Amino acid sequence: MPDLSKVRNIGISAHIDSGKTTLSERILFYTGKIHAIHEVRGKDGVGATMDSMDLEREKGITIQSAATYCTWGDFNINLIDTPGHVDFTVEVERALRVLDGAVLVLCSVAGVQSQSITVDRQMRRYNVPRLAFINKCDRQGANPERVAEQLAEKLAHNPAFVTFPIGLEDKLAGVINLVDMKAVYYRGEAGEDIVEEEIPADLMGKAKELRHRLIEVAADYDDDLMEKFLSDEEPSREQLIAAIRKGTLSLKMTPVFCGSAFKNKGVQTLLDGVTLFLPAPNEITNEALDQDRNEEKITLESDPSKPLVMLAFKLEDGRYGQLTYMRVYQGTVKKGDTIINVSNGKKIKVPRLVRMHASQMHDIEEATAGDIVALFGVDCASGDTFTDGNVRVTMTSMFVPDPVIELAVAPKDKAGQVNFSKALNRFTKEDPTFRVMRDEESGETIIKGMGELHLEIYIERIRREFNTEITVGRPKVAFRETISQRSDFNYTHKKQTGGSGQFGRVGGYIEPLPSDAVETYEFVDDIVGGVIPREYIPACDKGFKEAVLEGSLIGQPVVGVRVVLNDGATHAVDSSEMAFKTAALMAFREAYGPAKPTILEPIMKLEVSAPEEFQGTVIGQVNQRRGVIMGTETDLGYVTVEAEVPLSEMFGYSTDLRSVTQGKGEFSMEFKKYQPVPRNIQEEMVKEHQKKRAEGR
């Protein structure tokens, strides 16, 4: 039976361009999984191992999270390299959902960037303990201490250096290991020979100061260590490691490692840190919902002998059909076993079990609790739970943000229609943030996603992987509608035909939900005295739900609304579910106009960084796009501007930014909130919508 304490399931995540994939490449090299190092944008044209898609290699970015496994000493490490680009945020979500620990990679020059903040928020959502790795200490302007300060200020971490660089920028020679108080050098052609020496005399003072801080932070989580710290006694190595581990697992401390993945320095010491400080699968509490006991929460045990529970967290279409990545939480699964998909009750025989190494597969006979494996030929959706039939439990799914941008797409010619449909079916299964719908009015196929790049990549994939040329309409923003005041309704639906007719009366009011409400629609049943019989109440709810799908201003979904039903009337013969559903639908439409409806637009959090001399131009450009500047920061000749900008104004921004900053400006953008559009723009939009409808008729 495998020793679970020697297993680590970790993810590597960070802001775009912090060096995650380069770090993963080094980890694979030092653990003996690959025998040569390839760079993300290397001259050899091979590309990094973990970037297995052609598109990833061309753009030099990670699009899909790639999984692999390796061994370090007597530890088995399952590793997932996740994308840094905010458009592929769901890839990070799904990886963090099933991982036990993570490495947050930060650039020693840029420090904590906007996407680092997003990734950190995702780690908190799933309570993932993490180490920080300050990468690129060989770059000009490297300042790990400033990055550690930002970790504390911007992310509210409690950082403490475990390793610190010996020299910075082009003088980076190695790192000081503050636990062992040794200088570590990485010699040999690719830094594979580790040499420990005494700490250089000129750095001894700094090392003692940082070690003192490390013990001080760790002492908060261990009473014995606290006693030693207060009486100035030196703790033993074991005692210090145990305290750091405790602090890390409780999410109250972040051990910080330094180095340069590109220059092959500090990576092996980070791997030691992963095995020392990050949790084994059996040290994490995983909960599931018992479907037989009204979704009561139960704790899963990382025990191979218990009933099987595993979660499908990622789907990919490989050459041999659908490949489903699974995390086994409890029990054992063997090749040839029958497993059950709890969401639909389907039984499936496990035809083939593999461990993934980027795009290569290694067959295995069985997997036990704590493993991350892939299965072939399992038809399911992302987030489905599988069991062996002895229990009926489901794992909570991951958080999936709503799409904010949409495009109309169509195949260029009739012949491409089949492949086009195949591609869209496959992508919606693979990626929960990619949605497809048909616009009934125009008959167009609409794809929705998290940003321009997100949809661009999928369009490119349809061209390449499915050999289909497609035409693309202009990008459209996912607007919403809402109401701004209370409005009463009292509607009677009456229809008399031969035989029994239809009758239903509903009375009540609609009002805005508080701005901090999680739900977008709330139904309150205040009926007393049975004026509407119990059996017709759900039909009323259904009618209101249908009404909020399309507001009357611009035909977009209505959000942030509470419907209160407190009166009504019924007819002994003519009342029916259908009659009350129609009455509710019409009542909502009647009350909607007087409730002063407004249009909401998605507002994005924008972070632009560019050389200081372009500060005025960059700010001017953001203002032109109806942006509100939230703050600016200058550092090392670069200015970072944070702003909130309507998504509808951001199309084509990357081209404009490059042209005014001589190609040196960069930006990242993520969805922040919905807020009302200015009155004049709303009037234009309503006119436009009415004109379209008139033409459509």
Side-chain angles (χ1 to χ4, degrees):
M1 201 173 109
D3 180 359
L4 268 183
S5 65
K6 301 284 188 198
V7 175
R8 296 288 179 272
N9 292 318
I10 64 159
I12 293 188
S13 44
H15 184 88
I16 191 162
D17 264 354
S18 301
K20 293 181 300 299
T21 303
T22 308
L23 177 63
S24 304
E25 192 77 4
R26 297 306 185 272
I27 289 176
L28 293 180
F29 177 71
Y30 296 131
T31 55
K33 288 300 289 187
I34 54 174
H35 302 295
I37 291 173
H38 300 292
E39 300 310 338
V40 175
R41 294 187 174 88
K43 294 196 171 53
D44 58 6
V46 176
T49 310
M50 299 296 268
D51 284 348
S52 54
M53 277 167 72
D54 293 344
L55 262 172
E56 295 182 308
R57 294 182 172 177
E58 281 167 36
K59 290 189 183 281
I61 61 169
T62 303
I63 292 166
Q64 288 183 328
S65 45
T68 186
Y69 70 99
C70 53
T71 49
W72 182 246
D74 50 358
F75 284 85
N76 286 322
I77 298 176
N78 289 310
L79 175 82
I80 298 186
D81 172 27
T82 61
H85 206 288
V86 68
D87 285 16
F88 307 107
T89 186
V90 73
E91 286 287 335
V92 185
E93 285 280 346
R94 61 166 128 220
L96 290 174
R97 170 66 186 83
V98 298
L99 292 170
D100 304 325
V103 177
L104 176 64
V105 184
L106 299 159
C107 167
S108 70
V109 183
V112 172
Q113 292 163 281
S114 59
Q115 189 62 20
S116 331
I117 297 170
T118 305
V119 170
D120 183 68
R121 203 169 52 233
Q122 291 170 321
M123 288 180 188
R124 283 175 201 272
R125 187 179 288 137
Y126 301 111
N127 294 326
V128 178
R130 66 278 216 197
L131 311 177
F133 180 64
I134 300 178
N135 192 18
K136 303 192 178 183
C137 287
D138 58 312
R139 275 186 56 189
Q140 202 161 354
N143 186 347
E145 287 185 85
R146 194 177 55 90
V147 180
E149 275 167 27
Q150 289 182 345
L151 264 175
E153 284 163 18
K154 291 190 175 180
L155 300 181
H157 280 224
N158 186 4
F161 284 104
V162 174
T163 70
F164 194 75
I166 299 172
L168 282 171
E169 301 179 352
D170 52 0
K171 296 190 180 65
L172 178 69
V175 300
I176 297 170
N177 180 340
L178 298 164
V179 172
D180 297 334
M181 282 304 267
K182 289 274 188 226
V184 186
Y185 298 98
Y186 306 88
R187 307 263 159 79
E189 201 178 316
E192 67 274 23
D193 302 328
I194 301 166
V195 181
E196 285 196 352
E197 291 178 9
E198 290 307 310
I199 295 170
D202 58 331
L203 285 172
M204 200 60 182
K206 182 78 185 160
K208 280 183 173 162
E209 178 196 319
L210 289 170
R211 180 178 163 89
H212 183 78
R213 156 90 184 143
L214 175 66
I215 297 171
E216 182 185 5
V217 173
D220 282 346
Y221 312 105
D222 189 305
D223 295 340
D224 293 348
L225 187 60
M226 182 55 94
E227 271 179 41
K228 286 199 168 175
F229 176 69
L230 294 173
S231 54
D232 269 349
E233 278 179 59
E234 267 299 302
S236 68
R237 179 177 189 269
E238 285 64 39
Q239 201 175 11
L240 181 55
I241 287 172
I244 298 173
R245 186 161 216 273
K246 229 186 213 171
T248 310
L249 298 198
S250 66
L251 304 183
K252 292 195 174 90
M253 171 183 179
T254 307
V256 179
F257 291 77
C258 300
S260 162
F262 186 58
K263 287 285 186 339
N264 310 320
K265 289 184 172 56
V267 177
Q268 297 96 314
T269 320
L270 172 70
L271 277 169
D272 290 338
V274 164
T275 59
L276 288 174
F277 306 129
L278 287 180
N282 55 357
E283 290 173 292
I284 292 280
T285 306
N286 289 301
E287 290 184 327
L289 306 174
D290 192 335
Q291 295 304 314
D292 292 334
R293 291 201 200 144
N294 204 5
E295 300 215 332
E296 188 184 302
K297 275 190 180 174
I298 57 164
T299 302
L300 298 176
E301 291 175 49
S302 298
D303 181 342
S305 60
K306 290 265 162 99
L308 173 75
V309 178
M310 55 186 192
L311 178 76
F313 67 96
K314 177 174 160 60
L315 314 179
E316 244 176 53
D317 247 17
R319 285 169 303 208
Y320 313 106
Q322 182 173 304
L323 183 63
T324 308
Y325 286 81
M326 299 266 197
R327 160 76 199 257
V328 186
Y329 282 98
Q330 184 176 284
T332 303
V333 61
K334 294 188 170 116
K335 203 168 140 179
D337 277 0
T338 301
I339 55 175
I340 291 169
N341 184 340
V342 181
S343 67
N344 57 18
K346 274 189 188 164
K347 288 188 175 178
I348 298 155
K349 200 170 171 170
V350 178
R352 189 177 166 197
L353 260 181
V354 294
R355 269 190 204 282
M356 293 304 294
H357 170 43
S359 57
Q360 301 161 18
M361 290 150 220
H362 304 158
D363 277 276
I364 52 171
E365 288 304 310
E366 66 166 30
T368 55
D371 279 337
I372 291 178
V373 290
L375 280 73
F376 275 104
V378 175
D379 186 31
C380 67
S382 203
D384 284 356
T385 306
F386 287 83
T387 67
D388 54 8
N390 291 326
V391 282
R392 268 190 75 233
V393 299
T394 56
M395 305 285 298
T396 49
S397 188
M398 60 210 164
F399 168 78
V400 178
D402 281 332
V404 291
I405 181 171
E406 50 189 62
L407 282 175
V409 288
K412 265 199 175 142
D413 47 43
K414 280 277 191 315
Q417 189 66 48
V418 175
N419 274 358
F420 176 68
S421 302
K422 258 192 206 160
L424 295 185
N425 276 340
R426 175 177 143 186
F427 296 153
T428 44
K429 254 188 167 175
E430 271 182 26
D431 179 353
T433 56
F434 178 77
R435 319 260 171 96
V436 179
M437 59 166 279
R438 192 175 157 76
D439 185 337
E440 292 307 327
E441 276 183 22
S442 62
E444 292 174 318
T445 301
I446 308 285
I447 56 173
K448 300 181 176 188
M450 300 309 297
E452 273 184 290
L453 180 69
H454 188 205
L455 296 183
E456 214 177 274
I457 294 285
Y458 278 119
I459 287 163
E460 192 55 36
R461 284 183 66 188
I462 296 176
R463 289 197 179 115
R464 291 182 187 202
E465 295 169 33
F466 291 86
N467 231 339
T468 305
E469 280 302 315
I470 55 177
T471 54
V472 181
R474 276 199 55 212
K476 280 212 313 240
V477 169
F479 290 101
R480 297 277 183 270
E481 296 184 23
T482 191
I483 56 173
S484 47
Q485 65 181 40
R486 176 180 157 150
S487 165
D488 296 321
F489 58 80
N490 183 0
Y491 187 86
T492 308
H493 173 62
K494 232 185 200 161
K495 206 172 180 189
Q496 203 56 51
T497 49
S500 67
Q502 286 183 21
F503 180 87
R505 180 171 81 79
V506 292
Y509 59 91
I510 61 175
E511 64 179 2
L513 278 170
S515 56
D516 56 356
V518 181
E519 296 302 317
T520 58
Y521 162 82
E522 190 185 307
F523 175 67
V524 180
D525 167 17
D526 269 353
I527 291 291
V528 283
V531 287
I532 298 179
R534 282 281 124 235
E535 66 265 29
Y536 296 143
I537 303 282
C540 297
D541 186 17
K542 253 190 199 153
F544 291 126
K545 271 190 182 145
E546 198 173 300
V548 297
L549 292 176
E550 196 179 311
S552 58
L553 292 178
I554 54 167
Q556 291 297 334
V558 181
V559 296
V561 65
R562 176 186 288 131
V563 180
V564 179
L565 185 65
N566 57 20
D567 191 16
T570 175
H571 184 282
V573 179
D574 292 352
S575 283
S576 64
E577 283 192 10
M578 189 63 209
F580 273 100
K581 185 182 158 189
T582 311
L585 178 72
M586 300 313 289
F588 185 87
R589 288 184 183 164
E590 181 183 82
Y592 191 59
K596 290 217 170 141
T598 56
I599 298 171
L600 299 175
E601 62 180 343
I603 301 293
M604 309 302 278
K605 179 179 154 205
L606 172 74
E607 188 172 286
V608 190
S609 80
E612 239 174 296
E613 70 253 36
F614 302 115
Q615 181 169 351
T617 330
V618 167
I619 288 177
Q621 222 180 27
V622 172
N623 287 336
Q624 269 175 348
R625 293 172 182 264
R626 291 201 285 127
V628 177
I629 307 289
M630 305 310 278
T632 57
E633 223 175 80
T634 346
D635 196 28
L636 300 168
Y638 261 72
V639 65
T640 302
V641 178
E642 281 190 17
E644 290 182 2
V645 196
L647 176 62
S648 54
E649 303 287 342
M650 290 306 288
F651 297 124
Y653 178 64
S654 53
T655 320
D656 287 0
L657 178 68
R658 280 192 206 112
S659 61
V660 300
T661 57
Q662 299 166 7
K664 295 174 189 160
E666 286 181 350
F667 78 98
S668 72
M669 188 166 74
E670 65 173 310
F671 172 69
K672 177 83 191 282
K673 59 183 178 186
Y674 269 101
Q675 96 180 13
V677 303
R679 179 62 53 196
N680 57 337
I681 295 179
Q682 172 159 325
E683 283 165 9
E684 268 173 46
M685 289 171 74
V686 172
K687 263 188 205 149
E688 182 72 18
H689 178 67
Q690 286 166 346
K691 191 172 140 197
K692 255 193 189 162
R693 291 196 72 152
E695 284 168 5
R697 289 204 182 97

